[in-house]
Amino acid sequence: MAESDGLAPAQLETYFALMEAVSLLQHAVERQLRAEGDISYVQFQLLARLAHGEGSLTMTELADGVVYSRSGLTHQAGLLERAGLITRGPSPDDQRATLVTVTDAGRALVDRVLPGHVQVARRLLFEPLTDQDVRTLGDLMARVRTHVRSLPPRSATPRRRRDDDHRSRR
Amino acid sequence: MAESDGLAPAQLETYFALMEAVSLLQHAVERQLRAEGDISYVQFQLLARLAHGEGSLTMTELADGVVYSRSGLTHQAGLLERAGLITRGPSPDDQRATLVTVTDAGRALVDRVLPGHVQVARRLLFEPLTDQDVRTLGDLMARVRTHVRSLPPRSATPRRRRDDDHRSRR
DNA sequence: TATTGTTATACTCTATAACTATA
DNA sequence: TATAGTTATAGAGTATAACAATA
């Protein structure tokens, strides 16, 4: 198949099935987190990442993988800080950096919403899959994730635009 | 494993790999559609669904699978109509219904963005996968999609709330 | 000069509630 | 009474650009 050709039918079906299934899953997960913890999925990701590791990360480290713009992360961090779920302070290593730290309340919140979160994942995603399916899916998506991550300047707002040419064709 | 237990490690890894990989994919796809067609993924879905079928659907039919609230769909339809990509008119079958129809411009737009869209999917999603992997992934996600769809009142805004009890615990 | 992070701002998306009209 | 769709409105999320401080 030439580079400019479309996807094979099997690929198209796979693509749409993946996008739709995950959209529905995301929707359900957002609802659960909002209902039980009054946080968004992004906020959950940030808290979970902090709570899972040492407890502190710089803004840049925290942004990595959550794809946002810097200002978006600042905004979210502001919300989490006002809610008492994280604190922000200077980094000893780099005077420019801000060190973000989960509070006990932040950890408690993660602990509180995690069971329900996991339950949604189990009910929507894992119920129709065998253990073997889960391992297979995990393997495939891990490869995709690694691949996608390796491709573009993925972290927050690279200083330059990604396509300064041919913008707004309509 | 008891119902209230957490997920097995393999499940957790699978879940996070899936969510992150698809988030990155969605992000890339949104960017491509915005750059090449100045539309969102949701708008693309609506147009593609119309262009792919007979060309006309009622609002309710169109909403199905795109999960939105009715007002959200009305909003999107308004944007698409103002852009000349769809038209809205009365339905002959049901006087209450609005029949949405793709215009030629709408079809042309889908045709114009589809190659780039497909290219993003190929580059991010399919490049690290073998043909067999793609079939396997398609099979798994089709099952998940069917399962998720079968679960809750998935269409737009069911008149009643989904959990009138225990709201806002914090 | 490059990088970290914030601010100000504007825009998009989504959701709730109230409403109209048809069934 | 229930359903289809719209409107008004408000809130959350995201992004761009300009900026300050440090490397």
Side-chain angles (χ1 to χ4, degrees):
Chain A
M1 187 187 302
E3 167 64 20
S4 58
D5 282 4
L7 296 172
Q11 290 182 316
L12 260 186
E13 282 175 40
T14 296
Y15 171 67
F16 286 123
L18 177 68
M19 293 293 272
E20 184 177 340
V22 173
S23 288
L24 292 167
L25 178 58
Q26 286 173 334
H27 210 256
V29 149
E30 290 268 358
R31 271 187 48 75
Q32 180 268 327
L33 289 174
R34 184 60 65 188
E36 295 185 15
D38 200 27
I39 53 173
S40 67
Y41 182 65
V42 168
Q43 291 163 352
F44 169 75
Q45 280 182 297
L46 297 175
L47 288 178
R49 175 171 302 210
L50 289 167
H52 196 263
E54 293 297 314
S56 294
L57 291 172
T58 66
M59 293 291 281
T60 296
E61 289 165 346
L62 196 52
D64 196 50
V66 190
V67 188
Y68 280 7
S69 59
R70 294 168 176 281
S71 63
L73 180 56
T74 296
H75 176 64
Q76 291 299 331
L79 294 178
L80 293 175
E81 188 172 45
R82 277 200 315 212
L85 303 172
I86 64 168
T87 58
R88 280 185 286 187
S91 165
D93 303 332
D94 187 334
Q95 292 286 59
R96 296 172 301 181
T98 295
L99 211 54
V100 181
T101 306
V102 220
T103 64
D104 290 346
R107 290 185 189 274
L109 178 56
V110 171
D111 290 345
R112 205 180 76 219
V113 299
L114 199 50
H117 190 84
V118 148
Q119 199 171 330
V120 170
R122 192 189 304 113
R123 193 166 61 90
L124 272 62
L125 178 61
F126 296 120
E127 204 167 80
L129 303 180
T130 67
D131 289 355
Q132 180 55 52
D133 290 337
V134 172
R135 281 191 293 274
T136 302
L137 179 61
D139 168 63
L140 293 177
M141 296 319 292
R143 277 158 55 198
V144 172
R145 175 177 56 178
T146 300
H147 175 72
V148 174
R149 276 179 164 176
S150 74
L151 283 178
R154 58 195 167 72
S155 201
T157 307
R159 232 52 178 189
R160 229 166 25 85
R161 287 288 248 312
R162 293 76 124 193
D163 48 352
D164 297 347
D165 44 324
H166 77 278
R167 289 181 69 78
S168 66
R169 288 168 48 186
R170 43 187 308 261
Chain B
M1 187 188 302
E3 167 65 21
S4 58
D5 281 5
L7 295 172
Q11 290 181 318
L12 259 186
E13 281 176 39
T14 295
Y15 170 68
F16 285 124
L18 177 68
M19 294 292 271
E20 185 177 340
V22 173
S23 288
L24 292 168
L25 178 58
Q26 286 174 334
H27 210 254
V29 149
E30 289 269 358
R31 270 187 50 74
Q32 180 268 327
L33 289 174
R34 184 61 65 187
E36 294 184 15
D38 200 27
I39 52 173
S40 66
Y41 183 65
V42 167
Q43 290 164 352
F44 170 75
Q45 280 182 296
L46 297 176
L47 289 177
R49 174 171 303 210
L50 288 167
H52 197 261
E54 294 295 316
S56 294
L57 291 172
T58 66
M59 294 291 282
T60 297
E61 289 166 345
L62 197 52
D64 196 49
V66 190
V67 189
Y68 280 7
S69 60
R70 293 167 177 281
S71 63
L73 180 56
T74 295
H75 175 65
Q76 291 299 329
L79 293 178
L80 293 174
E81 188 172 45
R82 278 200 315 212
L85 303 172
I86 65 168
T87 58
R88 279 184 287 186
S91 165
D93 303 332
D94 188 332
Q95 292 286 61
R96 297 170 300 180
T98 295
L99 211 54
V100 181
T101 306
V102 220
T103 64
D104 290 345
R107 291 186 189 274
L109 178 57
V110 172
D111 289 345
R112 204 180 79 219
V113 299
L114 199 50
H117 190 86
V118 149
Q119 199 171 330
V120 170
R122 192 188 305 112
R123 193 167 60 90
L124 271 61
L125 178 61
F126 295 120
E127 204 167 79
L129 302 180
T130 68
D131 289 354
Q132 179 56 51
D133 289 337
V134 172
R135 282 192 292 275
T136 301
L137 179 61
D139 168 63
L140 293 177
M141 295 320 292
R143 277 157 56 198
V144 172
R145 175 177 55 180
T146 300
H147 175 71
V148 174
R149 275 179 164 174
S150 75
L151 282 178
R154 57 194 167 71
S155 200
T157 307
R159 233 52 179 188
R160 228 167 26 84
R161 288 288 247 311
R162 293 76 122 193
D163 48 352
D164 298 345
D165 44 322
H166 77 278
R167 289 180 71 76
S168 67
R169 288 167 48 188
R170 40 188 310 260

mmCIF file of all heavy atoms in Angstrom, chain B residues 66-108:
data_model
loop_
_atom_site.group_PDB
_atom_site.id
_atom_site.type_symbol
_atom_site.label_atom_id
_atom_site.label_comp_id
_atom_site.label_asym_id
_atom_site.label_seq_id
_atom_site.Cartn_x
_atom_site.Cartn_y
_atom_site.Cartn_z
ATOM 1 N N VAL B 66 -22.049 9.685 19.953
ATOM 2 C CA VAL B 66 -21.178 10.821 20.204
ATOM 3 C C VAL B 66 -21.449 11.370 21.599
ATOM 4 O O VAL B 66 -20.943 12.407 21.985
ATOM 5 C CB VAL B 66 -21.356 11.898 19.131
ATOM 6 C CG1 VAL B 66 -20.293 12.970 19.222
ATOM 7 C CG2 VAL B 66 -21.294 11.264 17.753
ATOM 8 N N VAL B 67 -22.273 10.691 22.314
ATOM 9 C CA VAL B 67 -22.404 10.801 23.763
ATOM 10 C C VAL B 67 -22.893 12.131 24.309
ATOM 11 O O VAL B 67 -23.248 12.234 25.459
ATOM 12 C CB VAL B 67 -21.055 10.457 24.468
ATOM 13 C CG1 VAL B 67 -21.210 10.352 25.954
ATOM 14 C CG2 VAL B 67 -20.463 9.188 23.906
ATOM 15 N N TYR B 68 -22.928 13.147 23.462
ATOM 16 C CA TYR B 68 -23.175 14.470 23.982
ATOM 17 C C TYR B 68 -24.524 14.690 24.628
ATOM 18 O O TYR B 68 -25.455 13.929 24.462
ATOM 19 C CB TYR B 68 -23.058 15.488 22.875
ATOM 20 C CG TYR B 68 -21.654 15.794 22.620
ATOM 21 C CD1 TYR B 68 -20.681 15.062 23.257
ATOM 22 C CD2 TYR B 68 -21.286 16.795 21.755
ATOM 23 C CE1 TYR B 68 -19.373 15.350 23.025
ATOM 24 C CE2 TYR B 68 -19.978 17.068 21.525
ATOM 25 C CZ TYR B 68 -19.026 16.336 22.172
ATOM 26 O OH TYR B 68 -17.720 16.614 21.950
ATOM 27 N N SER B 69 -24.596 15.805 25.281
ATOM 28 C CA SER B 69 -25.876 16.337 25.707
ATOM 29 C C SER B 69 -26.560 16.883 24.463
ATOM 30 O O SER B 69 -25.921 17.211 23.470
ATOM 31 C CB SER B 69 -25.666 17.451 26.719
ATOM 32 O OG SER B 69 -24.897 18.490 26.142
ATOM 33 N N ARG B 70 -27.867 16.989 24.528
ATOM 34 C CA ARG B 70 -28.611 17.510 23.386
ATOM 35 C C ARG B 70 -28.151 18.918 23.042
ATOM 36 O O ARG B 70 -27.984 19.264 21.877
ATOM 37 C CB ARG B 70 -30.099 17.572 23.726
ATOM 38 C CG ARG B 70 -30.717 16.226 23.915
ATOM 39 C CD ARG B 70 -32.089 16.332 24.553
ATOM 40 N NE ARG B 70 -32.685 15.014 24.648
ATOM 41 C CZ ARG B 70 -33.257 14.404 23.632
ATOM 42 N NH1 ARG B 70 -33.321 14.996 22.462
ATOM 43 N NH2 ARG B 70 -33.757 13.199 23.773
ATOM 44 N N SER B 71 -27.969 19.707 24.057
ATOM 45 C CA SER B 71 -27.590 21.095 23.791
ATOM 46 C C SER B 71 -26.211 21.168 23.142
ATOM 47 O O SER B 71 -25.968 22.028 22.300
ATOM 48 C CB SER B 71 -27.615 21.904 25.078
ATOM 49 O OG SER B 71 -26.664 21.412 25.990
ATOM 50 N N GLY B 72 -25.333 20.262 23.547
ATOM 51 C CA GLY B 72 -24.016 20.229 22.943
ATOM 52 C C GLY B 72 -24.091 19.928 21.465
ATOM 53 O O GLY B 72 -23.404 20.537 20.642
ATOM 54 N N LEU B 73 -24.957 18.989 21.128
ATOM 55 C CA LEU B 73 -25.122 18.654 19.719
ATOM 56 C C LEU B 73 -25.741 19.816 18.957
ATOM 57 O O LEU B 73 -25.315 20.138 17.838
ATOM 58 C CB LEU B 73 -25.991 17.410 19.571
ATOM 59 C CG LEU B 73 -26.224 16.986 18.125
ATOM 60 C CD1 LEU B 73 -24.904 16.765 17.401
ATOM 61 C CD2 LEU B 73 -27.083 15.739 18.062
ATOM 62 N N THR B 74 -26.732 20.445 19.551
ATOM 63 C CA THR B 74 -27.337 21.621 18.913
ATOM 64 C C THR B 74 -26.270 22.677 18.641
ATOM 65 O O THR B 74 -26.236 23.291 17.575
ATOM 66 C CB THR B 74 -28.430 22.215 19.820
ATOM 67 O OG1 THR B 74 -29.490 21.270 19.948
ATOM 68 C CG2 THR B 74 -28.974 23.505 19.237
ATOM 69 N N HIS B 75 -25.419 22.873 19.617
ATOM 70 C CA HIS B 75 -24.343 23.848 19.465
ATOM 71 C C HIS B 75 -23.431 23.482 18.296
ATOM 72 O O HIS B 75 -23.139 24.318 17.433
ATOM 73 C CB HIS B 75 -23.545 23.921 20.768
ATOM 74 C CG HIS B 75 -22.354 24.798 20.701
ATOM 75 N ND1 HIS B 75 -22.424 26.157 20.503
ATOM 76 C CD2 HIS B 75 -21.032 24.512 20.779
ATOM 77 C CE1 HIS B 75 -21.208 26.665 20.487
ATOM 78 N NE2 HIS B 75 -20.350 25.693 20.647
ATOM 79 N N GLN B 76 -22.988 22.241 18.273
ATOM 80 C CA GLN B 76 -22.098 21.802 17.202
ATOM 81 C C GLN B 76 -22.783 21.889 15.845
ATOM 82 O O GLN B 76 -22.174 22.300 14.850
ATOM 83 C CB GLN B 76 -21.616 20.377 17.463
ATOM 84 C CG GLN B 76 -20.674 20.243 18.648
ATOM 85 C CD GLN B 76 -19.406 21.054 18.481
ATOM 86 O OE1 GLN B 76 -18.915 21.265 17.366
ATOM 87 N NE2 GLN B 76 -18.858 21.530 19.587
ATOM 88 N N ALA B 77 -24.043 21.487 15.811
ATOM 89 C CA ALA B 77 -24.785 21.558 14.556
ATOM 90 C C ALA B 77 -24.895 23.002 14.087
ATOM 91 O O ALA B 77 -24.801 23.299 12.887
ATOM 92 C CB ALA B 77 -26.165 20.931 14.725
ATOM 93 N N GLY B 78 -25.079 23.909 15.035
ATOM 94 C CA GLY B 78 -25.135 25.328 14.691
ATOM 95 C C GLY B 78 -23.846 25.804 14.063
ATOM 96 O O GLY B 78 -23.852 26.523 13.060
ATOM 97 N N LEU B 79 -22.730 25.375 14.636
ATOM 98 C CA LEU B 79 -21.431 25.756 14.082
ATOM 99 C C LEU B 79 -21.254 25.198 12.675
ATOM 100 O O LEU B 79 -20.816 25.909 11.760
ATOM 101 C CB LEU B 79 -20.303 25.229 14.986
ATOM 102 C CG LEU B 79 -20.196 25.841 16.383
ATOM 103 C CD1 LEU B 79 -19.066 25.185 17.157
ATOM 104 C CD2 LEU B 79 -19.995 27.343 16.304
ATOM 105 N N LEU B 80 -21.595 23.928 12.516
ATOM 106 C CA LEU B 80 -21.422 23.294 11.212
ATOM 107 C C LEU B 80 -22.341 23.928 10.172
ATOM 108 O O LEU B 80 -21.975 24.064 9.007
ATOM 109 C CB LEU B 80 -21.701 21.783 11.319
ATOM 110 C CG LEU B 80 -20.694 20.986 12.146
ATOM 111 C CD1 LEU B 80 -21.140 19.541 12.295
ATOM 112 C CD2 LEU B 80 -19.306 21.049 11.515
ATOM 113 N N GLU B 81 -23.541 24.315 10.615
ATOM 114 C CA GLU B 81 -24.471 24.933 9.683
ATOM 115 C C GLU B 81 -23.970 26.313 9.256
ATOM 116 O O GLU B 81 -24.008 26.659 8.078
ATOM 117 C CB GLU B 81 -25.856 25.051 10.337
ATOM 118 C CG GLU B 81 -26.926 25.515 9.372
ATOM 119 C CD GLU B 81 -28.309 25.439 10.001
ATOM 120 O OE1 GLU B 81 -28.458 25.868 11.174
ATOM 121 O OE2 GLU B 81 -29.236 24.941 9.340
ATOM 122 N N ARG B 82 -23.482 27.064 10.225
ATOM 123 C CA ARG B 82 -22.970 28.393 9.893
ATOM 124 C C ARG B 82 -21.779 28.311 8.956
ATOM 125 O O ARG B 82 -21.527 29.219 8.164
ATOM 126 C CB ARG B 82 -22.561 29.132 11.170
ATOM 127 C CG ARG B 82 -23.716 29.788 11.884
ATOM 128 C CD ARG B 82 -23.212 30.869 12.811
ATOM 129 N NE ARG B 82 -22.049 30.395 13.582
ATOM 130 C CZ ARG B 82 -21.753 30.778 14.820
ATOM 131 N NH1 ARG B 82 -22.553 31.634 15.435
ATOM 132 N NH2 ARG B 82 -20.693 30.328 15.433
ATOM 133 N N ALA B 83 -21.029 27.205 9.083
ATOM 134 C CA ALA B 83 -19.873 27.028 8.202
ATOM 135 C C ALA B 83 -20.287 26.468 6.848
ATOM 136 O O ALA B 83 -19.437 26.239 5.979
ATOM 137 C CB ALA B 83 -18.852 26.098 8.864
ATOM 138 N N GLY B 84 -21.571 26.208 6.683
ATOM 139 C CA GLY B 84 -22.063 25.714 5.404
ATOM 140 C C GLY B 84 -21.786 24.248 5.142
ATOM 141 O O GLY B 84 -21.845 23.792 4.006
ATOM 142 N N LEU B 85 -21.515 23.506 6.214
ATOM 143 C CA LEU B 85 -21.146 22.106 6.039
ATOM 144 C C LEU B 85 -22.338 21.159 6.168
ATOM 145 O O LEU B 85 -22.290 20.029 5.686
ATOM 146 C CB LEU B 85 -20.066 21.731 7.064
ATOM 147 C CG LEU B 85 -18.808 22.606 6.983
ATOM 148 C CD1 LEU B 85 -17.872 22.312 8.151
ATOM 149 C CD2 LEU B 85 -18.084 22.387 5.655
ATOM 150 N N ILE B 86 -23.381 21.635 6.837
ATOM 151 C CA ILE B 86 -24.620 20.862 6.941
ATOM 152 C C ILE B 86 -25.795 21.826 6.777
ATOM 153 O O ILE B 86 -25.625 23.043 6.841
ATOM 154 C CB ILE B 86 -24.768 20.148 8.304
ATOM 155 C CG1 ILE B 86 -24.890 21.192 9.428
ATOM 156 C CG2 ILE B 86 -23.616 19.203 8.567
ATOM 157 C CD1 ILE B 86 -25.322 20.615 10.765
ATOM 158 N N THR B 87 -26.956 21.258 6.560
ATOM 159 C CA THR B 87 -28.188 22.043 6.631
ATOM 160 C C THR B 87 -29.131 21.333 7.593
ATOM 161 O O THR B 87 -29.016 20.129 7.819
ATOM 162 C CB THR B 87 -28.881 22.164 5.265
ATOM 163 O OG1 THR B 87 -29.171 20.847 4.773
ATOM 164 C CG2 THR B 87 -27.995 22.890 4.274
ATOM 165 N N ARG B 88 -30.046 22.108 8.145
ATOM 166 C CA ARG B 88 -31.059 21.514 9.022
ATOM 167 C C ARG B 88 -32.452 21.842 8.481
ATOM 168 O O ARG B 88 -32.704 22.975 8.059
ATOM 169 C CB ARG B 88 -30.927 22.064 10.443
ATOM 170 C CG ARG B 88 -29.839 21.389 11.232
ATOM 171 C CD ARG B 88 -29.785 21.870 12.664
ATOM 172 N NE ARG B 88 -29.253 23.222 12.772
ATOM 173 C CZ ARG B 88 -28.990 23.824 13.934
ATOM 174 N NH1 ARG B 88 -29.213 23.184 15.063
ATOM 175 N NH2 ARG B 88 -28.517 25.044 13.957
ATOM 176 N N GLY B 89 -33.281 20.847 8.503
ATOM 177 C CA GLY B 89 -34.643 21.070 8.026
ATOM 178 C C GLY B 89 -35.598 20.154 8.757
ATOM 179 O O GLY B 89 -35.170 19.283 9.524
ATOM 180 N N PRO B 90 -36.883 20.374 8.548
ATOM 181 C CA PRO B 90 -37.886 19.550 9.219
ATOM 182 C C PRO B 90 -37.883 18.135 8.657
ATOM 183 O O PRO B 90 -37.544 17.915 7.496
ATOM 184 C CB PRO B 90 -39.199 20.269 8.896
ATOM 185 C CG PRO B 90 -38.929 21.002 7.627
ATOM 186 C CD PRO B 90 -37.479 21.397 7.668
ATOM 187 N N SER B 91 -38.230 17.212 9.507
ATOM 188 C CA SER B 91 -38.347 15.830 9.064
ATOM 189 C C SER B 91 -39.766 15.560 8.572
ATOM 190 O O SER B 91 -40.728 16.004 9.192
ATOM 191 C CB SER B 91 -38.011 14.884 10.215
ATOM 192 O OG SER B 91 -38.444 13.575 9.927
ATOM 193 N N PRO B 92 -39.911 14.864 7.459
ATOM 194 C CA PRO B 92 -41.246 14.534 6.969
ATOM 195 C C PRO B 92 -41.956 13.516 7.862
ATOM 196 O O PRO B 92 -43.185 13.527 7.968
ATOM 197 C CB PRO B 92 -40.981 13.954 5.580
ATOM 198 C CG PRO B 92 -39.557 13.484 5.621
ATOM 199 C CD PRO B 92 -38.851 14.407 6.576
ATOM 200 N N ASP B 93 -41.182 12.669 8.521
ATOM 201 C CA ASP B 93 -41.778 11.593 9.317
ATOM 202 C C ASP B 93 -42.303 12.082 10.656
ATOM 203 O O ASP B 93 -43.353 11.677 11.111
ATOM 204 C CB ASP B 93 -40.736 10.494 9.575
ATOM 205 C CG ASP B 93 -40.173 9.957 8.266
ATOM 206 O OD1 ASP B 93 -40.900 10.018 7.262
ATOM 207 O OD2 ASP B 93 -39.017 9.506 8.270
ATOM 208 N N ASP B 94 -41.515 12.943 11.280
ATOM 209 C CA ASP B 94 -41.848 13.382 12.637
ATOM 210 C C ASP B 94 -41.668 14.892 12.706
ATOM 211 O O ASP B 94 -40.574 15.406 12.559
ATOM 212 C CB ASP B 94 -40.916 12.675 13.637
ATOM 213 C CG ASP B 94 -41.332 12.947 15.074
ATOM 214 O OD1 ASP B 94 -41.935 14.015 15.337
ATOM 215 O OD2 ASP B 94 -41.048 12.105 15.937
ATOM 216 N N GLN B 95 -42.745 15.578 12.918
ATOM 217 C CA GLN B 95 -42.717 17.040 12.899
ATOM 218 C C GLN B 95 -41.812 17.623 13.987
ATOM 219 O O GLN B 95 -41.381 18.777 13.904
ATOM 220 C CB GLN B 95 -44.142 17.602 13.076
ATOM 221 C CG GLN B 95 -45.061 17.332 11.897
ATOM 222 C CD GLN B 95 -44.765 18.180 10.687
ATOM 223 O OE1 GLN B 95 -43.670 18.125 10.126
ATOM 224 N NE2 GLN B 95 -45.728 18.967 10.262
ATOM 225 N N ARG B 96 -41.548 16.834 15.026
ATOM 226 C CA ARG B 96 -40.693 17.341 16.088
ATOM 227 C C ARG B 96 -39.225 17.281 15.698
ATOM 228 O O ARG B 96 -38.390 18.039 16.175
ATOM 229 C CB ARG B 96 -40.874 16.509 17.364
ATOM 230 C CG ARG B 96 -42.250 16.566 17.942
ATOM 231 C CD ARG B 96 -42.388 15.548 19.039
ATOM 232 N NE ARG B 96 -42.155 14.189 18.555
ATOM 233 C CZ ARG B 96 -42.213 13.096 19.316
ATOM 234 N NH1 ARG B 96 -42.467 13.214 20.611
ATOM 235 N NH2 ARG B 96 -42.017 11.915 18.808
ATOM 236 N N ALA B 97 -38.905 16.332 14.836
ATOM 237 C CA ALA B 97 -37.501 16.042 14.541
ATOM 238 C C ALA B 97 -36.883 17.036 13.575
ATOM 239 O O ALA B 97 -37.567 17.641 12.749
ATOM 240 C CB ALA B 97 -37.377 14.638 13.974
ATOM 241 N N THR B 98 -35.583 17.210 13.716
ATOM 242 C CA THR B 98 -34.809 18.006 12.772
ATOM 243 C C THR B 98 -33.939 17.070 11.954
ATOM 244 O O THR B 98 -33.238 16.220 12.510
ATOM 245 C CB THR B 98 -33.902 18.998 13.523
ATOM 246 O OG1 THR B 98 -34.714 19.935 14.223
ATOM 247 C CG2 THR B 98 -33.001 19.738 12.563
ATOM 248 N N LEU B 99 -34.018 17.229 10.644
ATOM 249 C CA LEU B 99 -33.236 16.376 9.779
ATOM 250 C C LEU B 99 -31.962 17.122 9.379
ATOM 251 O O LEU B 99 -32.015 18.206 8.797
ATOM 252 C CB LEU B 99 -34.055 16.021 8.532
ATOM 253 C CG LEU B 99 -33.776 14.661 7.891
ATOM 254 C CD1 LEU B 99 -33.895 13.542 8.911
ATOM 255 C CD2 LEU B 99 -34.731 14.433 6.729
ATOM 256 N N VAL B 100 -30.840 16.507 9.703
ATOM 257 C CA VAL B 100 -29.550 17.118 9.395
ATOM 258 C C VAL B 100 -29.001 16.498 8.116
ATOM 259 O O VAL B 100 -28.987 15.277 7.973
ATOM 260 C CB VAL B 100 -28.555 16.898 10.547
ATOM 261 C CG1 VAL B 100 -27.218 17.560 10.241
ATOM 262 C CG2 VAL B 100 -29.131 17.426 11.842
ATOM 263 N N THR B 101 -28.521 17.336 7.224
ATOM 264 C CA THR B 101 -28.027 16.853 5.929
ATOM 265 C C THR B 101 -26.661 17.462 5.628
ATOM 266 O O THR B 101 -26.458 18.656 5.824
ATOM 267 C CB THR B 101 -29.002 17.258 4.804
ATOM 268 O OG1 THR B 101 -30.319 16.801 5.134
ATOM 269 C CG2 THR B 101 -28.571 16.654 3.474
ATOM 270 N N VAL B 102 -25.752 16.629 5.163
ATOM 271 C CA VAL B 102 -24.434 17.157 4.760
ATOM 272 C C VAL B 102 -24.564 17.894 3.456
ATOM 273 O O VAL B 102 -25.279 17.442 2.557
ATOM 274 C CB VAL B 102 -23.404 16.050 4.448
ATOM 275 C CG1 VAL B 102 -22.048 16.434 4.985
ATOM 276 C CG2 VAL B 102 -23.855 14.712 4.898
ATOM 277 N N THR B 103 -23.857 18.975 3.351
ATOM 278 C CA THR B 103 -23.808 19.687 2.072
ATOM 279 C C THR B 103 -22.638 19.153 1.247
ATOM 280 O O THR B 103 -21.821 18.369 1.743
ATOM 281 C CB THR B 103 -23.589 21.184 2.302
ATOM 282 O OG1 THR B 103 -22.303 21.373 2.920
ATOM 283 C CG2 THR B 103 -24.667 21.758 3.190
ATOM 284 N N ASP B 104 -22.552 19.587 0.010
ATOM 285 C CA ASP B 104 -21.411 19.224 -0.819
ATOM 286 C C ASP B 104 -20.117 19.717 -0.191
ATOM 287 O O ASP B 104 -19.098 19.027 -0.225
ATOM 288 C CB ASP B 104 -21.567 19.829 -2.226
ATOM 289 C CG ASP B 104 -22.680 19.146 -3.009
ATOM 290 O OD1 ASP B 104 -23.116 18.057 -2.576
ATOM 291 O OD2 ASP B 104 -23.113 19.683 -4.035
ATOM 292 N N ALA B 105 -20.202 20.912 0.378
ATOM 293 C CA ALA B 105 -19.014 21.457 1.030
ATOM 294 C C ALA B 105 -18.599 20.578 2.208
ATOM 295 O O ALA B 105 -17.403 20.374 2.455
ATOM 296 C CB ALA B 105 -19.280 22.876 1.499
ATOM 297 N N GLY B 106 -19.594 20.051 2.902
ATOM 298 C CA GLY B 106 -19.308 19.165 4.017
ATOM 299 C C GLY B 106 -18.613 17.892 3.553
ATOM 300 O O GLY B 106 -17.624 17.453 4.136
ATOM 301 N N ARG B 107 -19.148 17.327 2.477
ATOM 302 C CA ARG B 107 -18.520 16.120 1.918
ATOM 303 C C ARG B 107 -17.112 16.429 1.432
ATOM 304 O O ARG B 107 -16.182 15.652 1.631
ATOM 305 C CB ARG B 107 -19.350 15.587 0.747
ATOM 306 C CG ARG B 107 -20.692 14.996 1.147
ATOM 307 C CD ARG B 107 -21.363 14.359 -0.074
ATOM 308 N NE ARG B 107 -22.741 13.950 0.197
ATOM 309 C CZ ARG B 107 -23.087 12.791 0.723
ATOM 310 N NH1 ARG B 107 -22.145 11.916 1.042
ATOM 311 N NH2 ARG B 107 -24.351 12.490 0.944
ATOM 312 N N ALA B 108 -16.981 17.579 0.811
ATOM 313 C CA ALA B 108 -15.662 17.955 0.292
ATOM 314 C C ALA B 108 -14.658 18.117 1.420
ATOM 315 O O ALA B 108 -13.490 17.722 1.297
ATOM 316 C CB ALA B 108 -15.769 19.255 -0.505
#
